Amino acid sequence: MKIGSRHQVVAVGLAPEGAGLTRTNGYDVYVADLLPGEQARVVVDHVSPHRPAAWARIEARIGPVSADRVQPACPGAGSCGGCTWQHLRYLAQLCEKRRILSEALAVAGSAVPVAPVVAADAELGYRNLGKYVVSRTSDGPVVLGAFAPRTHHVVPTVGCRVVEPVVARVAEAVQKQLGGSGLSVYDEPSRRGQLRYVLVRGGDDERALVGLVTTGATPAALLRPLADALRAARSEVEGVVWIRNDQADGALLTGDQTLLCGRDRVRQSLGSRLQLEVPIGGFFQINRTQAARLYQRVAELAVDGPGGHAVDLYCGAGGIALHLAAAGATVLGIERNPESIASARAAARRAGLAARARFEVASAAQLAALTDQADVIVVNPPRKGLDSETRAALAALRPDRIVYVSCHPHTLARDITALASSGYDLMAVEPFDLMPGTGQVEAITVLSRT
Ligand SMILES: C[S@@+](CC[C@H](N)C(=O)[O-])C[C@H]1O[C@@H](n2cnc3c(N)ncnc32)[C@H](O)[C@@H]1O
């Protein structure tokens, strides 16, 4: 395939980033704004030097648009790099997510059918965490937004309808207050300025925690009055945390944090029994309603009744572990973030589950040093999946069952292939949609020792 070549294509799927996937002359050709079933004449702009893949743009559409093409809920859909699937009808999104997962697992040699994706109740207003880049427009006002894909251009995102309403309200208030705060706005290319990012984490009872991320040299004297003004302006603000960050790698959070006012955590209930206190930097699933359903299903698939021993590896603030304990298992939760472990311990005490749920700050690869007893191990790693040391530790412990909860089909497929060589067979795949409007899919998979 050559740059500049023209082809007539039909989309057979949608890539997670939002481009239509076509299969042309042995290549995966990605075409922006082409939905499954739609046809077009395209011209190739870029060819991968590593794999048979190319990127092309539409010259002319051919035939009708898809019956599943809808008006995106957000006027700037896709431009902020966020909801790249909002122009596809929700039911069709669910089918596509299932296809993506099935194709990834087929590459791993799995013939296990993938269950239909468990749909979310709401397509909008579900994200409990807003992450904003601070920028200043040329004519003056400070805006909160997101980098447009592959640029340093900031697209305003205050007013985004995908975040919970309390997150949207508080972000708008922060944006207003920043103007008069005396803080300068950080400029990414020149690395000058003070204020870099703002985080808003929503919680129970329409409360929200604010994180202000600045360079390390920013004076506290400028931040404290801003924090107080924010709390005075919006009674929903539970607390304001200051995060100092001089890193150039795009990471928002560091451990260098100071509480400016209020509390440094916000309560997130999962069902009627579990209440987690989540810090600004701790991991928490961004769609709480779906997370509660997912955790409940993990417990059903992992725990057969009272008496078993379970491990929740990469346990975050303990959502899965506490569901396993509530189902009757004795659980060890392992997580490297100490704040998340403190939250998990406190939640276990509040739920009356502390006798059956122990939590340790450790790396996942240290599993074997922390226990020699596990009937079932639940793993819920970040997108990069399991490293080889952790896979080896899992296999050495020889649990009867591994329940792997994954947010990335390709690393899931890689790890399932590796675990098969340690004697674990894939038995079931149950996807959940935690992020409507995007190409992300979460999957529970069950593996049994042969
Ligand atoms: C996808 S989150 C899952 C959290 C939790 N299961 C939940 O549903 O809220 C992954 C978690 O793994 C933690 N983590 C990442 N790498 C780790 C490692 N090598 N060892 C232990 N924990 C790790 C992160 O801090 C994060 O809390």
Side-chain angles (χ1 to χ4, degrees):
M1 181 144 312
K2 288 205 164 58
I3 292 178
S5 60
R6 290 180 161 74
H7 305 270
Q8 186 165 326
V9 300
V10 55
V12 294
L14 198 59
E17 299 74 24
L21 167 65
T22 78
R23 300 237 153 90
T24 309
N25 299 349
Y27 277 66
D28 285 349
V29 180
Y30 298 94
V31 182
D33 199 24
L34 198 68
L35 286 179
E38 292 182 343
Q39 294 183 47
R41 195 177 66 238
V42 300
V43 56
V44 173
D45 285 328
H46 179 71
V47 180
S48 167
H50 310 294
R51 61 185 179 103
W55 286 262
R57 81 193 118 85
I58 296 176
E59 270 198 335
R61 291 185 178 271
I62 301 169
V65 298
S66 165
D68 290 322
R69 186 177 274 277
V70 293
Q71 187 65 31
C74 176
S79 64
C80 66
C83 303
T84 52
W85 282 25
Q86 260 190 2
H87 57 314
L88 183 64
R89 194 179 304 284
Y90 188 50
L91 279 180
Q93 288 179 25
L94 298 176
C95 294
E96 270 304 296
K97 291 183 188 215
R98 189 181 186 193
R99 179 195 62 77
I100 287 173
L101 189 57
S102 304
E103 285 192 5
L105 293 175
V107 170
S110 163
V112 174
V114 172
V117 181
V118 176
D121 296 339
E123 288 176 58
L124 298 173
Y126 64 81
R127 271 192 83 104
N128 55 44
L129 179 63
K131 296 179 180 177
Y132 305 89
V133 181
V134 184
S135 170
R136 191 181 282 282
T137 53
S138 52
D139 54 351
V142 176
V143 293
L144 299 187
F147 288 124
R150 297 174 295 282
T151 72
H152 278 120
H153 172 66
V154 174
V155 179
T157 53
V158 166
C160 161
R161 296 176 61 201
V162 176
V163 293
E164 289 181 354
V166 65
V167 173
R169 284 197 302 274
V170 170
E172 193 181 349
V174 175
Q175 184 173 261
K176 269 196 193 133
Q177 298 288 335
L178 289 181
S181 68
L183 285 158
S184 61
V185 171
Y186 185 78
D187 175 58
E188 198 77 31
S190 67
R191 306 197 63 201
R192 291 222 178 89
Q194 293 168 323
L195 193 55
R196 303 187 67 182
Y197 311 105
V198 171
L199 299 164
V200 183
R201 189 184 275 289
D204 287 2
D205 307 322
E206 303 270 302
R207 309 289 297 161
L209 196 59
V210 176
L212 301 173
V213 184
T214 74
T215 51
T218 306
L222 286 177
L223 285 152
R224 290 192 193 284
L226 170 63
D228 291 339
L230 267 175
R231 284 197 92 202
R234 291 245 59 121
S235 57
E236 301 103 317
V237 175
E238 183 81 8
V240 182
V241 179
W242 173 23
I243 301 139
R244 284 168 294 272
N245 180 350
D246 288 316
Q247 288 170 215
D249 58 2
L252 267 59
L253 289 155
T254 66
D256 192 359
Q257 301 185 5
T258 305
L259 180 63
L260 293 171
C261 64
R263 288 194 333 127
D264 65 352
R265 272 142 221 269
V266 68
R267 182 162 290 189
Q268 301 262 14
S269 294
L270 292 167
S272 55
R273 191 167 176 194
L274 294 183
Q275 294 169 336
L276 308 183
E277 293 278 350
V278 185
I280 195 79
F283 178 88
F284 188 69
Q285 294 285 3
I286 52 133
N287 185 330
R288 198 176 353 161
T289 318
Q290 281 297 84
R293 280 188 190 135
L294 177 107
Y295 294 162
Q296 187 54 42
R297 186 64 185 142
V298 169
E300 287 163 11
L301 291 166
V303 181
D304 296 327
H309 287 85
V311 173
D312 176 8
L313 206 53
Y314 308 89
C315 69
I320 292 176
L322 295 171
H323 277 77
L324 302 178
T330 297
V331 187
L332 166 64
I334 299 173
E335 158 67 46
R336 70 177 179 194
N337 181 330
E339 280 187 302
S340 295
I341 287 293
S343 296
R345 287 177 181 149
R349 283 194 296 276
R350 272 195 301 275
L353 293 168
R356 279 211 303 281
R358 175 165 75 94
F359 292 95
E360 299 291 347
V361 180
S363 160
Q366 292 169 277
L367 168 67
L370 293 167
T371 184
D372 55 5
Q373 217 179 8
D375 305 308
V376 58
I377 301 183
V378 179
V379 298
N380 183 198
R383 286 175 71 75
K384 65 180 181 198
L386 305 173
D387 57 34
S388 53
E389 270 179 294
T390 305
R391 284 198 300 261
L394 275 176
L397 218 55
R398 292 172 59 78
D400 295 335
R401 209 176 300 164
I402 296 172
V403 178
Y404 189 143
V405 183
S406 163
C407 59
H408 197 295
H410 295 288
T411 54
L412 171 68
R414 179 203 65 201
D415 290 341
I416 283 178
T417 307
L419 289 168
S421 61
S422 303
Y424 285 91
D425 287 341
L426 181 62
M427 309 302 287
V429 185
E430 298 191 13
F432 281 68
D433 186 21
L434 273 67
M435 294 175 73
T438 76
Q440 304 301 313
V441 58
E442 196 83 15
I444 308 178
T445 58
V446 182
L447 296 105
S448 282
R449 189 149 58 86
T450 35

